[in-house]
Amino acid sequence: MISPDTSVVLPGPWPHPPVFPYLVTRLVAALYHVMVLPTIGEEALLAVAISQALANELDTCLVLGPDRCIYLTNGQCRLSSSIPTDGILMTGSLKPSRRVSAWMPTDATYPARVAILAESISSHPVSGAIMGDLTKGGRQATAEDLTRLGGLDAGAPGVPNGLVLCPVCHEYHGECLDPSPVFQGREMTVHCLCDNGNRCARCGGRLSERKLNANYYKPADGNIWHVPGFAALGHQCVPGDAMVS
């Protein structure tokens, strides 16, 4: 099953505007959040990008110029000459740390670059709907998987084999075969509430109730539900100590 928040209507794809330096955060496969950064040193920019990526736990790219960027994925940094060039863009939802925000007024070019980005986004009409990962990140189960995970847990009626109850949040997590006939024979990874590490870089609060671009098991209906990355767009900063970069 797919979360009710799986689709959202947004403008169509276009080339990224030249507002270097900036961060691109992948929300889902075709939707990217762009954050214009102050023109500080490259070492400081990389520190900002790493801090943002660690907080959000989403694939991130620091774009330094038309042919220079650093991808931050799976805890690794990779220098590349191929910058992100298309996709559906949005801005203003993911927040930088308060330290980064404090640098922005000191950069004379910052307002103009933000205006260029905003104009680029607003000048493109709505063209359709964005969907989350319709495969829910699953993979075709092997014969061994089908034997190991087939059926239901004898100790927990209705619960697929492979899922275990978290002693902290009391939700199920693990790997199992999807019980939905739509995803028959596909192995899914299921996360509990404790697995949610997607946080706001400004306030430290969770970007969504559940882990983004991930699945959870709902005992009430016996289905595995997918939470798309753009569920983060509903985040509102909470009071408390800010995470800084």
Side-chain angles (χ1 to χ4, degrees):
M1 305 293 288
I2 305 296
S3 166
D5 295 327
T6 297
S7 63
V8 58
V9 177
L10 290 162
W14 64 90
H16 294 197
V19 291
F20 317 109
Y22 60 90
L23 279 182
V24 179
T25 301
R26 180 185 182 274
L27 296 173
V28 293
L31 177 62
Y32 300 87
H33 183 278
V34 179
M35 181 189 300
V36 178
L37 296 176
T39 51
I40 54 179
E42 187 170 312
E43 185 175 335
L45 285 169
L46 180 57
V48 167
I50 291 173
S51 178
Q52 190 78 30
L54 288 174
N56 295 163
E57 285 196 2
L58 294 168
D59 290 347
T60 304
C61 183
L62 170 62
V63 184
L64 299 165
D67 57 0
R68 181 174 173 79
C69 68
I70 300 173
Y71 287 92
L72 299 96
T73 58
N74 300 319
Q76 302 292 320
C77 296
R78 177 175 61 86
L79 183 65
S80 175
S81 60
S82 299
I83 70 171
T85 56
D86 55 21
I88 296 172
L89 306 186
M90 64 171 304
T91 191
S93 293
L94 297 180
K95 305 300 183 185
S97 71
R98 296 189 187 278
R99 179 179 297 177
V100 175
S101 297
W103 285 335
M104 291 171 177
T106 68
D107 180 358
T109 71
Y110 181 77
R113 290 184 292 122
V114 169
I116 291 171
L117 175 61
E119 173 61 25
S120 177
I121 291 174
S122 65
S123 65
H124 291 77
V126 171
S127 63
I130 283 292
M131 305 297 290
D133 183 357
L134 298 183
T135 72
K136 298 192 286 189
R139 65 175 180 84
Q140 189 62 42
T142 65
E144 180 183 351
D145 294 331
L146 293 172
T147 300
R148 176 172 56 91
L149 299 174
L152 302 177
D153 188 337
V159 177
N161 274 328
L163 298 185
V164 296
L165 200 63
C166 173
V168 177
C169 68
H170 305 292
E171 289 204 355
Y172 287 95
H173 64 112
E175 294 185 346
C176 68
L177 300 178
D178 197 313
S180 169
V182 176
F183 298 96
Q184 185 174 9
R186 297 194 69 82
E187 183 176 343
M188 301 290 178
T189 299
V190 172
H191 295 273
C192 66
L193 289 171
C194 296
D195 293 333
N196 182 7
N198 305 111
R199 293 185 176 272
C200 173
R202 175 168 295 179
C203 71
R206 288 187 171 87
L207 292 175
S208 175
E209 179 185 4
R210 296 184 177 277
K211 185 175 179 64
L212 299 174
N213 295 320
N215 306 318
Y216 69 96
Y217 176 71
K218 188 175 181 181
D221 60 17
N223 284 312
I224 294 172
W225 290 82
H226 184 74
V227 181
F230 50 73
L233 303 183
H235 169 73
Q236 298 291 325
C237 282
V238 297
D241 293 336
M243 300 175 69
V244 297
S245 59

